């Protein structure tokens, strides 16, 4: 068959294959789907083009994030069964098709088509693309799972750093009247439609690089000098395996679900409000001492903290351990939110430093959680378990902005808010993080009754079911 190269058996690496070729393949996918964080670039243009409200346009992103969690949860077991190459190819098709349908919707002024395209179809590509390289990286890097997942998921956090300037330049090419250096300049709807068309084609090509280069290790493979028996000496790290079906029956899964939900809720609330927030914290009368262009730069800086945190903190978790790392994310996070509430307005440097560290914890939480799952449940179906856990992200993507915006709406109107108006929301986030902190403390090793009977590492590496579980 023409697509037989996608089959799992055709992706098994031959002896001598370097595992360091896998992270670039994973990055090719995550850098592309990370464009989801750059939707603000054309948000105003879509509002003007469709003559719609900010809320109506914001629903596009919300649908995409909800579908990310849903598709990751529903398709996780399928991803494990067919292997990373077929899954990444499927993700590329959905992601690119989402852009093409979205472009058609913009060109014909049919907003529902943008919901269907970028939101629903593209969101499916987001979910499958997000989880497809993760379990493969963990199998290639059993000695450093935090480093491995950090390298890939870092790309999702940094996708906006590539997509934002690229999108602005492309829209200026398609609309001669649009000046990307002028914050008040708005591109036409046709320019955004052409942008979607271009991104759909370009992202498909880049993601295919990952498709052709990803491979899975042969059954029984392990890195030179790695002794799996050493894992038994580490707290919470198991050498047994738990299926996705059994994982969701354990309290550990749901404690970790709460941990991820709380960490993401707190971080995404700041990310969603970042630009206006820094201006409001330093407002004097009707004007802010922070210019709109500086606020835009601040959003870009937070993207760097987000990306760096995904790599740095997840790699550090290989030495600290996953549970202590989340104690840091949530415990230090509570202190930082308190400092932001009471002293964030004292100086812009203080505000930027505190929010930057908070967002680095937000990104680090995403990158560390697959390794945490591997520690608790083993490598067998870890991608499917990860997919189910990402429903916490979908829930937090709704809860975080609702909490922040709900409090701010009660305090006043946009453009008139000051730092004290943010305090109720920030103190609420401290409570949210406290719930996650307690949930993390309650995590213990998974009971033996949930382990797969007679499940060997050979089966786990091959991603197959054992005779006892078929």
């Amino acid at each position: 068959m023409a697509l037989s190269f996608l089959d799992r058996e055709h992706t098994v690496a031959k002896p001598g294959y370097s595992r360091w070729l896998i992270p670039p393949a994973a990055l090719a996918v995550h850098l592309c789907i990370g464009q989801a964080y750059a939707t603000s670039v054309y948000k105003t243009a879509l509002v003007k083009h469709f003559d719609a409200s900010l809320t109506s346009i914001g629903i596009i992103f919300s649908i995409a994030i909800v579908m990310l969690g849903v598709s990751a949860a529903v398709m996780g077991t399928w991803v494990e069964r067919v292997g990373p190459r077929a899954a990444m190819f499927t993700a590329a098709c959905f992601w690119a098709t989402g852009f093409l349908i979205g472009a058609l919707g913009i060109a014909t002024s049919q907003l529902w088509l943008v919901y269907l395209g970028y939101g629903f179809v593209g969101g499916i590509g987001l979910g499958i693309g997000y989880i497809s390289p993760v379990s493969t990286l963990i199998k290639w890097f059993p000695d450093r799972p935090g480093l491995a997942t950090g390298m890939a998921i870092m790309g999702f956090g940094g996708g906006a750093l590539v997509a934002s300037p690229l999108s602005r330049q492309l829209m200026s090419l398609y609309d001669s009247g649009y000046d990307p250096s002028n914050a008040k300049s708005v591109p036409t709807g046709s320019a955004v439609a052409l942008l979607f068309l271009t991104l759909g084609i370009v992202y498909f090509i880049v993601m295919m690089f990952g498709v052709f280069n990803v491979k899975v290790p042969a059954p029984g493979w392990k890195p030179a000098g790695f002794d799996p028996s050493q894992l038994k000496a580490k707290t919470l790290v198991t050498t047994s395996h738990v299926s996705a079906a059994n994982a969701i029956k354990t309290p550990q899964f749901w404690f970790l679900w709460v941990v991820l939900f709380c960490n993401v809720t707190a971080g995404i609330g700041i990310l969603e409000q970042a630009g206006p927030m820094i201006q409001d914290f330093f407002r004097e009368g009707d004007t802010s001492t922070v210019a709109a262009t500086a606020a835009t730069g601040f959003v870009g800086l937070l993207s760097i903290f987000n990306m760096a945190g995904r790599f740095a903190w997840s790699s550090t978790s290989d030495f600290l351990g996953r549970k202590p790392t989340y104690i840091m994310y949530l415990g230090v996070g509570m202190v930082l939110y308190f400092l932001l509430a009471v002293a964030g307005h004292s100086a812009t440097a203080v505000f930027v430093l505190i929010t930057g560290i908070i967002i680095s914890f937000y990104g680090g939480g995403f990158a560390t959680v697959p390794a945490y799952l591997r520690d608790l449940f083993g490598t067998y179906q870890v991608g499917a378990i990860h997919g189910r856990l990402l429903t916490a992200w979908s829930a937090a993507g709704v809860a975080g902005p609702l909490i922040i915006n709900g409090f701010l709406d009660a305090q006043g109107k946009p453009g008139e808010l000051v730092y004290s108006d943010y305090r109720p929301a920030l103190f609420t986030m401290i409570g949210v993080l406290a719930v996650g902190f307690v949930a993390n403390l309650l995590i213990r090793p998974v009971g033996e009754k949930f382990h797969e009977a007679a499940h060997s590492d050979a089966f786990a590496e091959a991603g197959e079911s054992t005779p006892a579980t078929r």
Side-chain angles (χ1 to χ4, degrees):
M1 295 177 63
L3 296 180
S4 61
F5 75 97
L6 297 175
D7 296 340
R8 173 181 282 276
E9 55 266 29
H10 292 143
T11 64
V12 178
K14 296 180 180 179
Y17 186 82
S18 174
R19 61 177 176 167
W20 293 101
L21 296 175
I22 303 302
L27 273 172
V29 173
H30 273 246
L31 279 172
C32 292
I33 62 177
Q35 186 275 344
Y37 278 148
T39 54
S40 61
V41 172
Y42 46 76
K43 190 174 183 179
T44 303
L46 292 181
V47 168
K48 182 178 180 181
H49 177 69
F50 287 106
D51 191 22
S53 65
L54 280 169
T55 301
S56 298
I57 299 303
I59 289 175
I60 301 169
F61 175 76
S62 297
I63 294 173
I65 294 300
V66 169
M67 289 308 302
L68 184 157
V70 171
S71 62
V74 173
M75 302 298 292
T77 305
W78 174 82
V79 169
E80 289 284 353
R81 184 174 71 252
V82 302
R85 182 170 290 178
M88 289 162 68
F89 176 75
T90 303
C93 291
F94 273 95
W95 186 233
T97 301
F99 274 104
L100 300 183
I101 296 174
L104 178 62
I106 298 169
T108 59
S109 297
Q110 298 292 318
L111 183 56
W112 70 272
L113 274 176
V114 187
Y115 290 158
L116 173 65
Y118 188 94
F120 186 83
V121 177
I124 294 174
L126 273 175
I128 297 174
Y130 192 90
I131 64 173
S132 55
V134 170
S135 62
T136 302
L137 280 165
I138 288 176
K139 291 181 175 74
W140 276 110
F141 291 84
D143 49 339
R144 296 290 300 278
L147 169 70
T149 56
M151 283 187 289
I153 296 177
M154 173 183 68
F156 191 89
L161 291 178
V162 176
S164 293
L166 174 64
S167 296
R168 289 191 179 94
Q169 290 304 315
L170 285 172
M171 288 188 295
S172 68
L173 177 65
Y174 299 139
D175 178 9
S176 59
Y178 170 61
D179 180 6
S181 63
N182 183 356
K184 295 183 179 180
S185 182
V186 179
T188 62
S190 61
V192 182
L194 289 171
L195 170 69
F196 270 45
L197 179 63
T198 304
L199 291 180
I201 296 171
V202 171
Y203 282 150
F204 182 80
I205 294 172
V206 174
M207 291 173 78
M208 288 304 293
F209 168 82
V211 170
F212 282 109
N213 286 280
V214 72
K215 291 183 181 294
V216 296
W221 176 90
K222 60 182 179 181
F226 174 64
D227 182 5
S229 64
Q230 294 177 352
L231 293 176
K232 295 180 180 179
K234 296 184 178 181
T235 305
L236 289 180
V237 181
T238 183
T239 54
S240 300
H241 302 283
V242 180
S243 69
N246 277 338
I248 61 174
K249 299 176 184 177
T250 67
Q252 288 83 353
F253 175 88
W254 294 107
F255 284 141
L256 194 52
W257 192 99
V258 172
V259 167
L260 183 63
F261 171 80
C262 293
N263 193 62
V264 174
T265 296
I268 207 167
I270 284 185
L271 271 180
E272 195 265 346
Q273 189 67 19
M277 186 176 181
I278 191 172
Q279 290 186 292
D280 292 340
F281 260 64
F282 301 96
R283 187 176 303 283
E284 296 179 359
D286 295 330
T287 60
S288 175
T289 57
V290 177
T293 52
T296 301
F298 169 66
V299 174
L301 182 62
L302 286 187
S303 295
I304 296 175
F305 274 102
N306 185 2
M307 179 178 65
R310 291 167 186 252
F311 178 72
W313 295 130
S314 62
S315 299
T316 302
S317 75
D318 285 330
F319 302 99
L320 293 181
R322 252 56 78 173
K323 190 172 183 176
T325 300
Y326 273 92
I327 288 175
M328 176 186 69
Y329 293 155
L330 300 160
V332 178
M334 286 189 281
V335 175
L336 291 173
Y337 266 96
F338 178 79
L339 292 175
L340 185 61
V342 300
H345 65 289
S346 60
T348 53
V350 173
F351 179 88
V352 170
L353 179 61
I354 293 174
T355 53
I357 297 174
I358 288 173
I359 296 305
S360 77
F361 288 168
Y362 165 82
F366 276 119
T368 309
V369 82
Y372 208 159
L373 290 171
R374 180 259 168 270
D375 291 351
L376 290 169
F377 302 108
T379 57
Y380 175 61
Q381 293 194 338
V382 68
I385 301 170
H386 185 212
R388 286 160 170 76
L389 193 76
L390 287 181
T391 54
W393 183 4
S394 296
V398 175
L402 276 179
I403 292 173
I404 293 289
N405 292 329
F407 277 109
L408 294 183
D409 285 341
Q411 297 297 321
K413 297 180 179 179
E416 299 176 1
L417 299 170
V418 294
Y419 72 90
S420 59
D421 295 325
Y422 283 79
R423 283 181 174 171
L426 296 176
F427 286 136
T428 300
M429 290 304 182
I430 293 175
V432 170
L433 289 174
V435 172
F437 187 86
V438 172
N440 184 54
L441 291 180
L442 293 173
I443 294 177
R444 298 289 186 270
V446 176
E448 291 184 6
K449 66 179 181 179
F450 296 106
H451 294 168
E452 292 296 296
H455 199 288
S456 68
D457 284 338
F459 282 111
E461 295 293 349
E464 298 171 351
S465 57
T466 65
T469 59
R470 282 179 185 153

